Amino acid sequence: MATATSIDDLRLMAKRRVPKAFFEYCDHGSYAEETLNANRADLKALRLRQRVMVDVANRSTETTILGEKVAFPFALAPTGLTGMQHADGEILAARAAERVGIPFCLSTMSICSIEDVAAGTTKPFWFQLYVMKDRGFAKSLVDRAIAAKCSALVLTVDLQVQGQRHRDIKNGMTVPPRVTLANVLDIATKPDWALKVLRGKRKTFGNLDGFVKGMSGVKSLGQWIAGQFDPALNWNDVAWIRSIWPGKLIIKGVLDVDDARAAAGTGADAIVVSNHGGRQLDGAPSAISTLPRIVEAVGGDTEVMFDSGIRSGQDVLRALALGAKSCMIGRAFLYGLGAGGEAGVAKAIDIIGRELDVSMALTGRRTIAEIDGTVIDRG
């Protein structure tokens, strides 16, 4: 871990330590992965404008997200099956984020439950909600988030129908892992991962198992999940969520200007420009390519966050330069988690944070507020 100098280093470590099905669940996208690849390519295509002879001796990466002071302008994004990258992964990631001073967001499809993370941390965290067909269960999740004193609700709106992820099908990915010869042989080569998972709090979806009436066992729970994403979801449901959630509301999964205006019109405190990390509509534009026009359309009405493709502090700087107030980081912290648990997440945060700090200095910026479009080299 001490010799890891980039998120790519952590990714390679995680690939060696995490079973193939779970690593590839994190690492890959939907269909031909055109959008997954565009997220990275379009970020890397943005050249930074180097500046010299600027006094950058006193720099700070501190800013605010939704009015709360944070050490860096990014949060750990909600990611499904985090606890299958490393045992108790959600708790470990939340602790690492809390220690540094950035938000952590727990996914509905987490392994550790809302209550597990609340018991394992000392400060409020965010909770991400999927509005499922069973509205009563969706409301119960909101009630549990309120009871856990979650400080923001992140409503994901781009998973009404799930995009096909070829790697999951080829790997026969299930939670917990299906007992097949290939899986057994693979897990046998990762004894440290297996031992820790066996000792972990949960081995299935903690927010659902034991809370869904009439469901017993992994197979029936999985069938329930597969049938619960709701293609009828619409803006009226957002109004309903707003009526039952008393705290900050973030709408995640916006990629179109018209949708951004509709999201801002709900009274949401923030929207997240995101294509679900290239895991939904393949062929959709990269998130970074849509960010400037969404900021122009609604940036004066609501806080705009950015997600999808960030692997470095330079990427964070690029997103801020194009108008995002903050970012969400998903795969990057998962690679750290798979590589080294809580210490690996802390390492991922540290790598991106340090890269951001140095890149600010070399572009002549001392504070997050000073980052604007002139950071980008327009040629």
Side-chain angles (χ1 to χ4, degrees):
M1 191 64 63
T3 60
T5 59
S6 68
I7 297 301
D8 284 341
D9 286 348
L10 296 177
R11 178 185 176 277
L12 292 175
M13 293 170 67
K15 187 175 183 179
R16 292 194 299 267
R17 297 175 182 182
V18 178
K20 179 182 178 182
F22 295 120
F23 175 79
E24 293 194 344
Y25 171 82
C26 160
D27 195 50
H28 287 274
S30 62
Y31 300 101
E33 301 186 338
E34 294 174 6
T35 299
L36 173 76
N37 294 327
N39 282 338
R40 293 295 304 128
D42 289 354
L43 272 166
K44 289 192 288 186
L46 292 169
R47 300 292 87 192
L48 298 173
R49 187 180 174 204
Q50 179 177 299
R51 300 302 304 276
V52 298
M53 301 304 289
V54 178
D55 181 357
V56 291
N58 297 308
R59 299 186 307 282
S60 174
T61 58
E62 291 184 351
T63 186
T64 60
I65 300 178
L66 297 178
E68 296 293 325
K69 186 177 179 180
V70 293
F72 299 110
F74 54 82
L76 300 190
T79 54
L81 279 64
T82 302
M84 285 296 163
Q85 301 300 318
H86 189 286
D88 299 335
E90 292 87 1
I91 297 172
L92 301 183
R95 286 175 177 167
E98 179 180 299
R99 186 175 297 110
V100 173
I102 63 171
F104 166 80
C105 187
L106 180 70
S107 170
T108 291
M109 308 308 295
S110 60
I111 300 301
C112 294
S113 68
I114 298 170
E115 293 78 11
D116 293 335
V117 176
T121 55
T122 62
K123 295 181 180 178
F125 55 93
W126 298 355
F127 179 67
Q128 176 270 334
L129 177 71
Y130 288 120
V131 180
M132 298 177 175
K133 289 179 181 177
D134 185 341
R135 295 295 196 266
F137 180 70
K139 184 178 184 303
S140 75
L141 285 171
V142 173
D143 290 341
R144 289 165 61 194
I146 293 170
K149 296 182 171 55
C150 291
S151 55
L153 187 73
V154 177
L155 177 62
T156 296
V157 295
D158 61 353
L159 203 76
Q160 294 161 281
V161 176
Q162 189 171 16
Q164 180 169 296
R165 298 153 196 177
H166 295 338
R167 297 298 181 112
D168 293 350
I169 295 173
K170 293 179 187 299
N171 291 327
M173 205 278 295
T174 62
V175 179
R178 184 181 301 160
V179 178
T180 66
L181 179 60
N183 283 343
V184 169
L185 292 175
D186 183 34
I187 291 172
T189 67
K190 282 91 176 175
D192 185 61
W193 177 92
L195 184 61
K196 287 175 179 174
V197 167
L198 285 173
R199 293 173 174 173
K201 282 183 175 292
R202 310 271 180 183
K203 297 161 188 67
T204 186
F205 297 106
N207 288 324
L208 281 65
D209 193 24
F211 293 94
V212 181
K213 293 180 180 179
M215 296 290 109
S216 60
V218 174
K219 184 177 179 180
S220 59
L221 184 62
Q223 291 170 341
W224 182 87
I225 293 167
Q228 276 297 314
F229 291 113
D230 191 356
L233 192 70
N234 60 73
W235 293 112
N236 291 330
D237 294 300
V238 179
W240 172 64
I241 293 296
R242 177 74 281 181
S243 73
I244 63 174
W245 171 253
K248 302 286 187 180
L249 177 65
I250 303 169
I251 296 179
K252 180 178 181 290
V254 177
L255 207 62
D256 181 88
V257 168
D258 289 342
D259 289 340
R261 291 193 179 105
T266 67
D269 298 282
I271 65 171
V272 185
V273 177
S274 170
N275 55 34
H276 217 95
R279 295 166 66 79
Q280 280 296 94
L281 176 61
D282 200 29
S286 67
I288 197 67
S289 69
T290 69
L291 176 62
R293 57 180 178 267
I294 290 177
V295 169
E296 182 180 5
V298 303
D301 303 321
T302 189
E303 202 162 309
V304 178
M305 304 178 69
F306 174 79
D307 167 88
S308 298
I310 289 177
R311 299 289 185 279
S312 68
Q314 292 90 337
D315 290 339
V316 173
L317 182 62
R318 289 165 172 137
L320 298 182
L322 294 189
K325 295 300 182 185
S326 60
C327 300
M328 282 188 167
I329 295 169
R331 286 184 177 92
F333 95 79
L334 289 178
Y335 295 145
L337 180 65
E342 184 175 343
V345 177
K347 185 71 172 182
I349 296 169
D350 180 66
I351 286 171
I352 293 176
R354 287 178 182 270
E355 288 173 343
L356 173 62
D357 176 64
V358 171
S359 299
M360 286 171 60
L362 296 179
T363 55
R365 300 306 194 269
R366 291 166 295 187
T367 67
I368 298 302
E370 290 181 359
I371 299 170
D372 59 17
T374 62
V375 166
I376 303 298
D377 186 347
R378 305 292 181 179

